Amino acid sequence: MNAIKKIRFQFAGVVLLALVSGLIAYPKLVSFAPPVERFFSQAKVNLGLDLQGGIHLEYAADTTDLDTSKRDDALQAAVDVIERRVNAFGVGEPVVQLSRSGSESRIIVELPGVKDVEEAKSMIKETPFLEFRELAGPEAEAQIDAANAQSQETAGKILENALAGSDFTELAKTWSRDPGAKENGGELGFAKSGSYVPEFDAVAFDPNFATGSVHPALVETTFGWHILKKLDERSTSAADGGEGEEREVNIAHILFPKYAIEDFPQLRYKATGLSGKNLKDVYVDYQSQGVGSPQIALRFDEEGTRLFADITSRNVGKPVAIFIDGEVVSQPTVQAEIRDGQAVITSNFTLAQANAEVKRFNEGALPVPITLVSQQSIDASLGRSALDQSVRAGIYGLAAVSVFMLLFYRFLGFIAVLALLLYSAMLLALFKLSIFTPFPITLTLSGIAGFVLSIGIAVDANVLIFERTREELSFGKSMRKALHEGFRRAWPSIRDGHFSTLITTIILIGMGTGFVKGFAIILALGVLLSLFTAVVLVRIMVNFLFADWMEKRPWILVTPKKLDTPKN
């Protein structure tokens, strides 16, 4: 590939990069093509609390009663408890993080989009509920039987409608509880005999079951009650163009589920009054002096000891379920009545599993007391106003810089403006695409400040290059040689300036918190992208757009700088 082809190929890459970045950054550019606009609109900037409004809460964690060696684990467990509780409320992009300042530990909670601060506080401070439950007995079975009777009765009524000529597809979409076939109107596709459970299979392949008809009776299986309609039938070999004995049928069905008590732990077990507040300690123990399999040891307080003794005395040989926030985490079987308030849960635990279970048990109550020390409610309109003002400031700043570059550097200024637009589009595209990665970038006001500052850094790199070029032109060198020397001589200054800024941002990211860290992260991204834009993209654009006729019109390229220096 010769030099000209190489330059053209590189410039095509820049154009493609600009096109993709521009569409991701501003999809409305292709509003005339709605499908394309919708595709690029999937990527959105993740706005921080200060831009979209919400609630900021700060809790002080008291760890004075804990051993020093246990404080970090307890604080992290408290953060996990709060995060789990916040996530349960479906808050989008919540932030729960630990902040330390000297000997004080704070838990920061940010809830974007939440308006009711009292609800948010109760949601966080409420103690996660750990409780022990015992089998509910016949009353739970009666509820399940009633539900099954209702399901069968409804199935019977829908069968009557189907037999009367109602649209089977619509009935399936409305009533079927088979998620795999519901959207297809209950159609299961062609299948061979033996593909279904025996009761279903016997009816589906009954030679008396005519194609296009609805079976006149409900078909009961372990999954529930089915209404069947035979859509089509064929032989396997016929599908291959021949005759054969093996048959395939295409069945549509409407499923009404049959419930089992095992499917409803909340019904299967009833409360006993023993909860996480009665646990004094939970830890990993070993069955044989530290050489056996790990097990989970429990120790109750006085009230818990009494309750646990009552529970175990009436449930010997039966399971007792342990729930956290309504979810079953363990169902150990009671081996004997326990009166000393101590118990163990044995299973084929690995040490990691046992530690994880102990952590979950400890989450049954906040491991450290927390006190709300600061709260701030940010109105969404204020956040939107701040965002609009920040964006407006960025546009004005970009416009002012563009005018300056065009006046002082002319053609090279024009290249710099293009590079700045491309740089801004690429950085915005990075923000949007980050939501598809494990490390989404949240844009805050401080982040916008970092963004705007990075524009200045990007301009500074171009100024260094162009000033070196002006100097080379003043020495009487040709334009091409002056441009080459301009890039070469500016590189050490650009490199050192960018690297020193990067070092600063790395320190801020490592030691800063909250807004400071957000500012540093976006500034670091901007610096890296600025380096790439100034050194690579600007050079490619200059090489492609530069023309020989400019040699006779040096004022087009850049304002010449006169120096009393001998010509090289």
Side-chain angles (χ1 to χ4, degrees):
M1 183 183 294
N2 59 38
I4 295 178
K5 287 185 177 179
K6 185 177 179 181
I7 291 173
R8 289 176 177 173
F9 181 77
Q10 290 174 338
F11 187 74
V14 174
V15 172
L16 181 62
L17 179 63
L19 184 63
V20 174
S21 300
L23 289 176
I24 295 174
Y26 193 65
K28 290 186 177 179
L29 288 173
V30 287
S31 58
F32 55 85
V36 180
E37 183 185 6
R38 282 196 295 273
F39 176 77
F40 285 100
S41 295
Q42 296 177 55
K44 297 184 183 300
V45 176
N46 184 27
L47 298 179
L49 184 72
D50 52 350
L51 294 180
Q52 65 169 311
I55 292 174
H56 173 95
L57 300 172
E58 189 169 336
Y59 291 91
D62 183 3
T63 59
T64 53
D65 293 336
L66 295 176
D67 292 340
T68 306
S69 60
K70 295 183 177 179
R71 288 178 180 175
D72 287 345
D73 289 341
L75 287 170
Q76 187 56 51
V79 169
D80 292 342
V81 168
I82 294 174
E83 190 167 19
R84 186 159 55 88
R85 186 157 288 279
V86 167
N87 288 335
F89 276 75
V91 177
E93 305 295 340
V95 175
V96 182
Q97 61 184 4
L98 190 61
S99 172
R100 289 189 175 90
S101 177
S103 60
E104 290 190 359
S105 298
R106 302 286 178 90
I107 297 176
I108 310 296
V109 183
E110 294 182 348
L111 306 173
V114 175
K115 298 178 180 177
D116 191 336
V117 66
E118 294 303 325
E119 181 185 2
K121 289 190 309 188
S122 64
M123 173 177 70
I124 293 168
K125 191 66 184 294
E126 184 180 343
T127 302
F129 196 55
L130 182 151
E131 60 179 337
F132 294 77
R133 297 185 183 182
E134 58 187 342
L135 287 172
E139 61 269 26
E141 295 286 353
Q143 292 186 55
I144 294 298
D145 291 343
N148 282 333
Q150 179 63 43
S151 184
Q152 185 178 10
E153 181 182 350
T154 305
K157 293 179 179 178
I158 301 304
L159 174 61
E160 292 176 2
N161 291 339
L163 292 172
S166 296
D167 189 321
F168 194 90
T169 299
E170 290 302 319
L171 289 175
K173 289 182 177 179
T174 303
W175 293 98
S176 182
R177 295 297 177 268
D178 180 355
K182 180 177 180 178
E183 298 304 321
N184 296 328
E187 183 176 353
L188 298 174
F190 281 100
K192 297 178 181 178
S193 177
S195 300
Y196 305 118
V197 292
E199 301 87 347
F200 193 111
D201 205 70
V203 175
F205 289 90
D206 184 346
N208 297 320
F209 190 8
T211 299
S213 66
V214 177
H215 192 268
L218 294 175
V219 179
E220 183 177 355
T221 69
T222 53
F223 299 104
W225 292 271
H226 306 259
I227 301 173
L228 302 189
K229 180 178 182 179
K230 181 184 282 188
L231 301 178
D232 202 357
E233 180 178 351
R234 70 185 183 190
S235 69
T236 304
S237 52
D240 299 330
E243 295 293 335
E245 297 181 353
E246 191 167 8
R247 299 163 56 213
E248 287 185 341
V249 296
N250 185 5
I251 296 292
H253 82 139
I254 304 173
L255 172 65
F256 292 83
K258 180 185 290 184
Y259 305 105
I261 188 67
E262 289 76 14
D263 300 329
F264 300 92
Q266 295 282 3
L267 282 178
R268 188 184 184 199
Y269 294 99
K270 64 180 180 181
T272 62
L274 183 61
S275 68
K277 65 183 176 59
N278 301 116
L279 275 175
K280 289 183 66 176
D281 201 5
V282 183
Y283 54 94
V284 176
D285 198 2
Y286 290 88
Q287 296 181 9
S288 303
Q289 301 298 323
V291 296
S293 300
Q295 59 188 14
I296 299 171
L298 312 174
R299 193 155 60 91
F300 297 102
D301 60 11
E302 184 177 348
E303 181 188 17
T305 299
R306 179 177 54 77
L307 289 171
F308 195 58
D310 294 340
I311 295 168
T312 54
S313 67
R314 60 177 181 259
N315 287 287
V316 174
K318 300 177 184 177
V320 170
I322 302 169
F323 284 68
I324 291 182
D325 281 348
E327 294 183 8
V328 177
V329 296
S330 182
Q331 302 177 72
T333 299
V334 178
Q335 304 296 332
E337 180 182 356
I338 300 172
R339 306 195 68 82
D340 61 357
Q342 298 189 43
V344 294
I345 300 174
T346 59
S347 183
N348 295 321
F349 291 125
T350 63
L351 181 57
Q353 290 171 334
N355 281 323
E357 287 298 319
V358 166
K359 183 181 177 185
R360 293 206 68 187
F361 277 69
N362 282 326
E363 286 177 354
L366 282 170
V368 292
I370 59 175
T371 305
L372 183 65
V373 294
S374 173
Q375 70 178 52
Q376 185 179 5
S377 180
I378 301 173
D379 190 83
S381 60
L382 292 177
R384 173 55 60 183
S385 175
L387 177 61
D388 292 342
Q389 290 180 13
S390 300
V391 171
R392 199 177 299 120
I395 293 174
Y396 290 162
L398 191 61
V401 169
S402 299
V403 171
F404 168 80
M405 296 300 287
L406 287 170
L407 289 176
F408 282 84
Y409 297 105
R410 303 180 185 181
F411 173 75
L412 292 180
F414 171 69
I415 298 293
V417 171
L418 291 180
L420 277 179
L421 293 174
L422 177 55
Y423 163 79
S424 302
M426 287 193 297
L427 193 54
L428 192 54
L430 272 181
F431 294 161
K432 291 188 170 184
L433 293 177
S434 70
I435 65 170
F436 301 113
T437 71
F439 308 101
I441 298 172
T442 300
L443 189 62
T444 62
L445 279 176
S446 61
I448 292 177
F451 180 25
V452 175
L453 181 57
S454 68
I455 291 178
I457 294 174
V459 173
D460 184 56
N462 289 323
V463 168
L464 285 172
I465 294 170
F466 301 159
E467 281 300 315
R468 298 291 86 78
T469 301
R470 287 181 67 195
E471 289 180 3
E472 295 300 323
L473 284 172
S474 68
F475 295 156
K477 293 182 179 178
S478 67
M479 283 192 178
R480 287 193 182 279
K481 192 169 183 179
L483 284 169
H484 175 76
E485 287 297 310
F487 278 100
R488 187 186 66 80
R489 288 181 55 198
W491 164 243
S493 300
I494 295 172
R495 177 197 61 201
D496 295 345
H498 282 67
F499 282 3
S500 59
T501 307
L502 270 180
I503 292 171
T504 305
T505 60
I506 290 171
I507 294 173
L508 289 175
I509 292 171
M511 304 186 67
T513 59
F515 296 135
V516 174
K517 182 177 288 187
F519 168 81
I521 289 173
I522 291 182
L523 181 58
L525 281 175
V527 168
L528 289 172
L529 205 57
S530 162
L531 195 62
F532 172 70
T533 304
V535 177
V536 179
L537 301 186
V538 169
R539 182 194 290 267
I540 292 173
M541 286 191 285
V542 168
N543 287 337
F544 181 81
L545 296 176
F546 179 78
D548 290 337
W549 61 269
M550 293 181 181
E551 292 279 4
K552 298 178 181 178
R553 301 170 180 82
W555 57 271
I556 291 178
L557 190 70
V558 66
T559 305
K561 186 175 183 180
K562 294 184 178 180
L563 293 176
D564 296 330
T565 305
K567 181 178 179 181
N568 285 347

